[in-house]
Amino acid sequence: ADISAMNGLTVSGPINVGTAQNVTLGSANGSITGSGLVTGNVLNVNAKGDVTLSTNVASLTANITGTGNLSITERDGLQINAANVTTSGGLVNITAGYAAPGTLNGAGFVNAAGGNVTLRNTKGAITFTANAQQVVGNVLNVTAQNSSALNTNVNTLVANITNNGSTLTINEANSLTAIGTNVATNNGDISITLATGSLTGTGNIVAGTGNVTLNASQGGITLNTSTGQVSGNVLRSEEHTSELQSPCN
């Protein structure tokens, strides 16, 4: 199915082409929104304005050419295609697993330019490690049930891994100039590695009984704004300079 409307498209009812066929939705000058469930194999979306869709698809490609935001709520797992998901500074909000388990992953890039990126999977993992700098934006907010790993190029990180013992691995291309509200697991290991730059911020890194590994070998680590800002079982750090407030064993 290929559906386009120059000045805006409203999906007021379901679009269902079966699991073997693809869906393309386009609006050169407008938005694509609606409450109808979009079902198919690959969903291709191109719009200038906001895109807000509920989906039951295997994979996603999206390009927002104007100032619009992208919001996708997927029934189970979702792959980001090699053709990528991009905005021109608008927000990217992708939620997977609202009804059934699955993984949010893929070889494509999620690039919000200077916008914020929110990735959620309430019934599975989030894995974007096929390429360096695969998730690009300002603030990255990650929420997942299971062990998750991401290669990033962002300024700020907020993360919560909810399943007991599940881990978080972040490989960041540059500095993380602020750890946001918190980076937390439920007794799972946390590993944050920076290719260049420094790791700083006012948020807490909380691993419960899990271990914490912080690597900023080309810069410094400064996490000392509060007592116990980094907490876990064993803390491992590699940096040129460091100031840490940690009760880790």
Side-chain angles (χ1 to χ4, degrees), residues 86-207:
T86 61
T87 68
S88 300
L91 306 178
V92 173
N93 188 330
I94 301 175
T95 298
Y98 77 82
T103 300
L104 176 57
N105 62 4
F109 289 79
V110 177
N111 189 337
N116 298 336
V117 178
T118 299
L119 303 175
R120 298 186 184 94
N121 191 352
T122 57
K123 292 183 175 65
I126 299 174
T127 306
F128 289 105
T129 57
N131 298 285
Q133 303 183 43
Q134 201 171 347
V135 179
V136 179
N138 179 30
V139 178
L140 171 61
N141 193 321
V142 176
T143 301
Q145 181 183 55
N146 297 334
S147 293
S148 297
L150 301 94
N151 295 343
T152 64
N153 183 357
V154 300
N155 294 322
T156 302
L157 174 67
V158 178
N160 184 27
I161 308 300
T162 62
N163 200 36
N164 186 41
S166 290
T167 64
L168 174 68
T169 302
I170 300 292
N171 290 299
E172 165 62 31
N174 301 295
S175 294
L176 275 176
T177 55
I179 295 293
T181 309
N182 274 325
V183 172
T185 63
N186 184 6
N187 301 314
D189 293 349
I190 295 175
S191 174
I192 301 174
T193 299
L194 277 57
T196 62
S198 297
L199 177 62
T200 61
T202 59
N204 296 326
I205 298 176
V206 180

Side-chain angles (χ1 to χ4, degrees), residues 184-243:
T185 63
N186 184 6
N187 301 314
D189 293 349
I190 295 175
S191 174
I192 301 174
T193 299
L194 277 57
T196 62
S198 297
L199 177 62
T200 61
T202 59
N204 296 326
I205 298 176
V206 180
T209 59
N211 300 327
V212 178
T213 300
L214 306 176
N215 188 334
S217 59
Q218 304 302 309
I221 299 174
T222 305
L223 298 168
N224 63 350
T225 59
S226 62
T227 301
Q229 192 174 356
V230 180
S231 62
N233 179 33
V234 176
L235 170 64
R236 304 180 181 91
S237 64
E238 181 178 349
E239 66 290 310
H240 281 309
T241 60
S242 68
E243 294 184 37

